[in-house]
Amino acid sequence: MGLIFKWKIEKILVLPFGGLTIFQECINRPIMEEFLVCIAGPIFQIIYYFLTLSFWNISSIHYSLLIFNLLPIVPLDGSKLLNLLFSKFFSFYVSMKLTNIVSLIVMFIFLIYTVFTHNLMLLLTMIFLLIKTIDNVKILDYVFNRFLLERYMNISNFHKIKKVYNLNLKKMRRDYKHIFYYQKKSYTEKEIIRKRFDLQGKVW
């Protein structure tokens, strides 16, 4: 699905919970496009399961991997789908922050579970995912700045327009162009973003 949308694949990792494709792609891809790329993995797994069902019984592995991969924990597909859902209602920055919070909550629940069940494999997997989530929290501002720079440098094809009645760039949303209103004047998002980076993070 990534190749269909001409996404650049950086590498493919094989991890204990399945494969993980790392894309070298823009953050500002349309939400529906990213949703199709994200959901393609679980869909292909289901198709593969039914194709092999007649001669290879992998039911327990299939359901375990499918359910686990759909958990809202970074960097599993479940967290990406949750982030896309948040992006339909909240700004890019808030969506990223909420995804990290949910990821940490779910992960700590599983960590507590592993303490009582003594499941070493699950514990190691959760520790790996915890490290990934913490890394994701640390780079939130970097990812947000990349989101802004992409919006500034690339031509936006988004047709929906959102009005922002202050200069808070953290209110910018995916799939929208933005018009900022400040002191009875209007500004394009590129004007505000340019001023942000020209003045080292201070808009005015």
Side-chain angles (χ1 to χ4, degrees):
M1 188 60 70
L3 291 174
I4 289 174
F5 288 113
K6 299 180 179 179
W7 285 32
K8 299 175 183 177
I9 298 175
E10 182 177 331
K11 57 185 174 182
I12 298 176
L13 302 176
V14 179
L15 301 170
F17 50 83
L20 179 64
T21 305
I22 307 297
F23 291 101
Q24 193 178 46
E25 200 45 68
C26 295
I27 297 174
N28 285 281
R29 287 284 193 172
I31 291 176
M32 181 53 67
E33 182 179 309
E34 185 172 342
F35 170 78
L36 293 174
V37 173
C38 185
I39 203 67
I43 289 176
F44 178 79
Q45 182 180 329
I46 293 171
I47 294 172
Y48 179 77
Y49 167 70
F50 283 110
L51 289 176
T52 60
L53 188 60
S54 59
F55 58 88
W56 189 19
N57 189 358
I58 56 171
S59 297
S60 60
I61 299 174
H62 163 70
Y63 289 114
S64 297
L65 285 177
L66 182 63
I67 294 172
F68 186 80
N69 189 40
L70 291 176
L71 290 174
I73 300 175
V74 175
L76 303 179
D77 286 336
S79 72
K80 298 173 185 176
L81 292 171
L82 181 65
N83 181 257
L84 293 173
L85 177 63
F86 283 147
S87 295
K88 295 293 291 184
F89 303 99
F90 303 106
S91 68
F92 175 82
Y93 188 87
V94 171
S95 298
M96 291 287 293
K97 205 164 187 177
L98 288 174
T99 302
N100 288 334
I101 292 172
V102 173
S103 178
L104 288 170
I105 292 173
V106 175
M107 198 176 316
F108 279 119
I109 292 173
F110 271 88
L111 284 172
I112 294 171
Y113 172 78
T114 59
V115 171
F116 290 100
T117 59
H118 306 289
N119 189 327
L120 181 60
M121 185 62 186
L122 183 59
L123 177 61
L124 293 175
T125 303
M126 283 297 120
I127 291 174
F128 170 79
L129 294 176
L130 178 60
I131 293 171
K132 287 292 183 182
T133 301
I134 292 173
D135 288 342
N136 215 49
V137 172
K138 288 180 178 179
I139 65 171
L140 176 58
D141 288 334
Y142 163 78
V143 174
F144 178 63
N145 283 331
R146 182 181 160 193
F147 165 78
L148 295 177
L149 285 173
E150 283 183 9
R151 297 297 291 255
Y152 177 73
M153 298 177 67
N154 299 325
I155 298 174
S156 174
N157 294 320
F158 304 127
H159 301 294
K160 293 182 288 186
I161 297 176
K162 180 175 176 56
K163 297 178 181 179
V164 181
Y165 290 96
N166 53 45
L167 302 178
N168 189 355
L169 291 170
K170 291 182 178 178
K171 290 188 176 182
M172 289 180 62
R173 292 173 58 176
R174 294 182 60 172
D175 283 0
Y176 283 87
K177 288 182 180 179
H178 299 81
I179 298 177
F180 291 83
Y181 291 90
Y182 181 71
Q183 294 183 348
K184 298 182 180 180
K185 294 183 180 180
S186 62
Y187 304 89
T188 65
E189 62 181 52
K190 286 197 173 187
E191 289 177 305
I192 303 301
I193 293 171
R194 183 177 66 247
K195 289 181 179 295
R196 171 190 173 95
F197 290 105
D198 285 347
L199 300 180
Q200 300 177 345
K202 295 180 181 179
V203 178
W204 300 105

